[in-house]
Amino acid sequence: LYAITALGATGSNLLYQIGGGLPALGDDLSTWTALPGDGVIAANAGDTVHVAASIGGKAALASAISL
């Protein structure tokens, strides 16, 4: 089990998902999960965690890490 800490982007909401793929600019992120207040996401070895900044519910930028 890994704990990943993600830091925020000014003026955006941070969302995440485990698995799937990176969103394109402007993609709808309504099915993604809000990043917890402490920024810690629990994930397992082999998982790929995607974190996206959302402005107006749409992807503004995203990144991923494979564990």
Side-chain angles (χ1 to χ4, degrees), residues 26-47:
D27 279 357
D28 177 31
L29 299 177
S30 62
T31 61
W32 287 45
T33 303
L35 193 70
D38 61 7
V40 176
I41 302 166
N44 296 304
D47 285 344

Side-chain angles (χ1 to χ4, degrees), residues 1-56:
L1 181 66
Y2 293 86
I4 301 163
T5 303
L7 301 177
T10 303
S12 67
N13 293 312
L14 288 181
L15 306 169
Y16 77 96
Q17 73 174 7
I18 297 175
L22 282 176
L25 181 64
D27 279 357
D28 177 31
L29 299 177
S30 62
T31 61
W32 287 45
T33 303
L35 193 70
D38 61 7
V40 176
I41 302 166
N44 296 304
D47 285 344
T48 299
V49 179
H50 300 89
V51 177
S54 169
I55 298 176

